[in-house]
Structure formats: structure tokens, C-alpha cells
Amino acid sequence: MAEQFDVAVIGAGAAGMMCAAVAGQRGRRVVLIDHADKLAEKIRISGGGRCNFTNLNTGPANFLSQNPHFCKSALARYTPQDFLGLIKRYRIGYHEKHKGQLFCDNSAEDIIAMLKAECGLGNVHWRMPCKVSGVSHGEGGFVIGTDAGELHAASVVIATGGLSIPKIGATDFAYRIASQFGLKMIETRPALVPLTFDAEAWKPFVDLAGIALEVEVSTGSKKTGGAFREDLLFTHRGLSGPAILQISSFWQPGTELTINLLPQAALGKQLIEGKGSVKKNLGNVLAQLLPSRLSAGWLARNGFDAEARLADLQDKPLQRLGDSLNSWQVAPNGSEGYRKAEVTVGGVDTRELSQQSMMATRVPGLHFVGEAVDVTGWLGGYNFQWAWASGFAAGSSV
Ligand code: FDA
């Protein structure tokens, strides 16, 4: 006899554990299935091992989606303060690092242990590691084929996440189930990912690898693009750091990024004004504003003599030099891909889902939560907040 459950949650990551715990604590008989050997690897490696578990400033504007209003309901019903309430109840130490980003003081393991304990309070049944061979309609709901036998459930929640980091168990399971049931998908691509450049074009910048500085980066139009002021990191293959990870979610292949390497100064104007002081030389002025390796490299690349006195230089080339740093246009040729991406943009089209319950409106009983859905947060704890909020929404209604 196949075992009967009210709810089968497939994927025991952030969204799946939250959903299973909430449903279980409502008295639902829940089974939580995951194919991995190790529980919630993505939580474990997140935030450099300290899990940036939420962002105090979370709002719908911090998410990308073809349907930007969709996330509002779930985010409003389960807020960063709600998750923080849970963190405090479990006496997990945390701190704010940057722009509302909350991290564990100790380790991401604390979050995993907390969610596991919450599942325990809901008497959640575990099947892990356990491979799922398929989900189909059956008597009174769904039949889930697994390598531990068949399970029956009135509702199924797909919480198997996106495609990033296949090495730790990411699969396209959610997308396959969505298309099996005739649900539309939004095309997926890696996001929050370092960007790469054509090797030949990048040659002049290779020796800048390791330099980090605060920049302003933007791409696309006002409506569809993004703009961020964060740290950028030069790498051997291209650009990384929070500024680039953020903009990578908005960047479209074939388009350029505009990077202001000196957002605190209108450099051309400053250099021209500096001509009044006879002693100033170009190299010294720039080295006061930029990391010295970057300023020396930039001057050489643009044909300027670092020893030249400002007073001896014409306004036009000084303005050109200023513009090259205040508005550096670069065209990445790609990204480091899912191997390095923190998240996947796109996924199950939210127009197929109820924003209250995350249920597919055309397939009663079938739900999608977390990163599998076309809702992608910025860098900074927003993706976990979406996982908690969407997991809570489904867990409250199944
Ligand atoms: P998640 O990926 O957490 O869980 C999916 C689960 O489904 C996994 O346990 C997997 O094993 C299982 N699964 C997959 N396919 C299956 C199948 N076919 N059968 C059975 N089980 C299957 N976000 C943030 O807000 N703050 C942060 O600090 C970070 N840091 C970070 C660092 C790195 C390196 C990465 C890769 C990602 C982040 N993120 C992040 C993003 C965050 O980890 C991510 O958005 C959430 O974990 C998504 O939660 P889900 O529950 O949707 O998927």
C-alpha cells in the first residue's frame, strides 16, 4: 500500500523546509523529499558560510520578475521581522552587515538546525536521500514515484530550486514538472554571477586582477535596467564583486555596462580645476582618488604620462581621461554560468500561480515555491526572504 499524505513537499531547501514546517504545524500530514545526501547545502554555503538570511529593507522592488506585482502578497504576509522572530526564538546570534543584510554570527548551520527543528514540531516525515521518478495525477490527488516506493498526496509542493551550482544537487526538476502539467515557463539564465570578457579584449586589464573599489554600475533602460553602487572586483577573466553580481541579473548578452569607477568625483572637472596648482602631477592626483595600481594602469592604457604636470595638459584630454573613468563602457561576452551563479533568473511563470497559495491555478493541488518560480531577488538576503515567504504562503494553504 502506498503511504498517504496530505502534502508532499519535493526539495528540502530553504523554501521546502519552511513550507513543510508551516503545513505540519497546522496539523497536515507532510512528507518532505530530497535527493541530496546532505541537507540544505545551499543554505550551508550561503553568505560565506554565515547565511545572509534576510534583508530588513525587503520590498517588491528588490525582485526581478516578468510579473513584478506577484511577489507582493507573499512578502507582505511573511516579512523579515517574522523570520527574525523565529531566529530570536531559537537564540541564534545575528548581525547586520551592510544595507539591512542580516547574517548569522556563528554559522549557516544554525539556520538549517532551526528549520529542521521546526519541521520536527510539525511531525514532518522525511524521505532523504530519495530520488523522485515522477509526479502524476492519481486518486484523490497526486502519485509521487520515488526510489523508496510510491507516495500519495492530496497536494504537492515543488521546492527544488533553480539551476545554480549543479555540483551540489541543483536540477531542472521544477521546470520539467511545470511543462509536464502544461504550465508556462519564463526563460532561465544564471544571475548574481561574475561577468566575463573576450580574452583578447580583456588583456589590458588582466594585471588589475585583485583590485576592489566602490563603483556605480548600470545597464539597460530605466524601465528594464538596473543601477547599483557597490564594490567591484577585477578578476583575471573579467569583473566580479557585489556591484557586478547585482548588475548581472539585469545585463542582457550583447549589451554594455556603464561603470563609474569614481562615483564620488566629476573627475574631468576636478582635473581641469587642479591645473591652477602648478605642482600637481597627474599620477599623484589620480592615486589619491583610486587604488594606485588602477590609476597607474589606467593612465598607461590611455597614453598619459603619470609624471606630467596637470598645468601642462590641455583641458580636452583631461576631460577625456575623466570621462573614461566616470563612464567606462564595457561589453561582457558572457558570465561564469550556473557553475558560479548564486541564483537563476526566470522559472515557472507566476501568471500560472495564485499569489496567495502559490498553487497552479490550472492544476489544483500543485504548488511551486522558492527559486523555481520566476521571482529573483537582488544580492543581499532577498532570495532567502522570498524562499521563506513563498514557502510560508504555500504551507499556510495546503
Ligand atoms: P534550494 O536550492 O535551497 O533547495 C532546493 C532543494 O531541492 C535542494 O535541497 C535540492 O537538493 C533539492 N532538489 C533539487 N532537485 C531535486 C530533485 N530532482 N529531486 C529531489 N530533490 C531535489 N540567498 C540569500 O538570500 N542570501 C545569501 O547569503 C545567499 N548566498 C548564496 C550563496 C551561494 C553560493 C548560492 C549558490 C546561493 C546563495 N543564495 C543566497 C541564494 C539562495 O541560496 C537560494 O535562492 C535559495 O536557497 C533558494 O531556496 P529554494 O528552497 O528555492 O532552493
Side-chain angles (χ1 to χ4, degrees):
M1 273 281 284
E3 238 188 303
Q4 181 71 43
F5 293 92
D6 296 320
V7 186
V9 180
I10 306 177
M17 279 202 280
M18 172 60 89
C19 176
V22 170
Q25 290 177 28
R26 285 175 50 236
R28 313 294 282 155
R29 187 171 148 80
V30 180
V31 60
L32 180 51
I33 311 163
D34 200 294
H35 68 166
D37 294 320
K38 232 171 154 189
L39 180 59
E41 268 294 80
K42 254 187 211 169
I43 299 181
R44 185 172 290 105
I45 63 171
S46 67
R50 291 225 159 85
C51 185
N52 175 196
F53 56 80
T54 192
N55 191 301
L56 292 173
N57 307 320
T58 302
N62 305 115
F63 295 85
L64 285 83
S65 173
Q66 294 290 309
N67 181 15
H69 299 296
F70 177 81
C71 62
K72 286 183 179 170
S73 168
L75 291 175
R77 282 181 299 136
Y78 194 85
T79 66
Q81 291 303 332
D82 290 321
F83 194 74
L84 206 45
L86 201 53
I87 293 278
K88 287 176 181 165
R89 230 181 314 132
Y90 280 79
R91 299 180 190 282
I92 296 174
Y94 69 92
H95 58 279
E96 183 177 344
K97 210 165 169 184
H98 174 64
K99 297 184 177 174
Q101 301 170 2
L102 299 188
F103 286 76
C104 296
D105 286 346
N106 178 34
S107 157
E109 299 278 359
D110 293 345
I111 303 286
I112 301 173
M114 176 186 84
L115 291 168
K116 204 172 166 202
E118 283 292 297
C119 287
L121 293 176
N123 295 315
V124 170
H125 299 250
W126 289 84
R127 294 288 185 280
M128 190 182 163
C130 175
K131 289 205 164 44
V132 178
S133 52
V135 177
S136 53
H137 275 304
E139 215 177 292
F142 296 87
V143 180
I144 301 108
T146 80
D147 62 4
E150 225 173 65
L151 305 170
H152 287 188
S155 302
V156 170
V157 181
I158 308 292
T160 49
L163 296 171
S164 61
I165 327 273
K167 192 172 74 185
I168 59 166
T171 69
D172 63 354
F173 183 82
Y175 313 146
R176 278 189 276 126
I177 296 295
S179 43
Q180 178 196 329
F181 284 93
L183 305 179
K184 290 197 193 81
M185 284 282 303
I186 302 296
E187 200 182 335
T188 54
R189 62 188 155 85
L192 300 184
V193 64
L195 296 175
T196 56
F197 292 81
D198 173 71
E200 200 53 40
W202 196 248
K203 253 190 189 156
F205 304 101
V206 168
D207 56 3
L208 301 180
I211 293 174
L213 75 166
E214 193 186 54
V215 304
E216 254 170 30
V217 58
S218 60
T219 192
S221 67
K222 244 195 176 145
K223 196 154 172 254
T224 59
F228 294 90
R229 186 166 177 157
E230 292 272 7
D231 285 353
L232 169 145
L233 174 71
F234 284 88
T235 71
H236 289 285
R237 283 164 52 83
L239 295 171
S240 186
I244 295 302
L245 299 190
Q246 295 282 31
I247 209 70
S248 71
S249 302
F250 294 85
W251 175 72
Q252 296 290 340
T255 66
E256 287 187 332
L257 303 178
T258 302
I259 302 174
N260 184 349
L261 291 163
L262 247 181
Q264 70 280 22
L267 184 64
K269 187 164 172 266
Q270 198 166 318
L271 292 175
I272 291 164
E273 284 169 3
K275 288 171 69 173
S277 158
V278 270
K279 285 199 182 129
K280 281 189 177 165
N281 85 28
L282 195 51
N284 289 346
V285 172
L286 269 200
Q288 277 168 13
L289 298 167
L290 290 166
S292 52
R293 204 147 54 88
L294 175 59
S295 66
W298 206 268
L299 287 176
R301 205 181 133 257
N302 285 280
F304 285 91
D305 175 4
E307 299 300 323
R309 288 185 326 148
L310 280 189
D312 296 337
L313 294 164
Q314 308 247 321
D315 289 1
K316 257 195 177 162
L318 288 178
Q319 187 61 51
R320 199 166 16 92
L321 175 65
D323 292 346
S324 74
L325 281 156
N326 281 142
S327 184
W328 183 33
Q329 311 274 334
V330 283
N333 72 347
S335 79
E336 295 281 2
Y338 289 115
R339 196 174 54 87
K340 288 272 178 77
E342 289 199 7
V343 290
T344 304
V345 161
V348 179
D349 190 338
T350 58
R351 285 163 288 214
E352 298 279 12
L353 307 177
S354 148
Q355 42 182 301
Q356 270 75 41
S357 64
M358 309 299 294
M359 188 176 81
T361 45
R362 294 192 286 140
V363 190
L366 180 64
H367 302 68
F368 291 85
V369 294
E371 203 183 310
V373 170
D374 171 37
V375 173
T376 309
W378 293 2
L379 185 77
Y382 303 103
N383 284 295
F384 277 133
Q385 188 55 37
W386 171 246
W388 317 136
S390 58
F392 180 85
S396 306
S397 81
V398 281

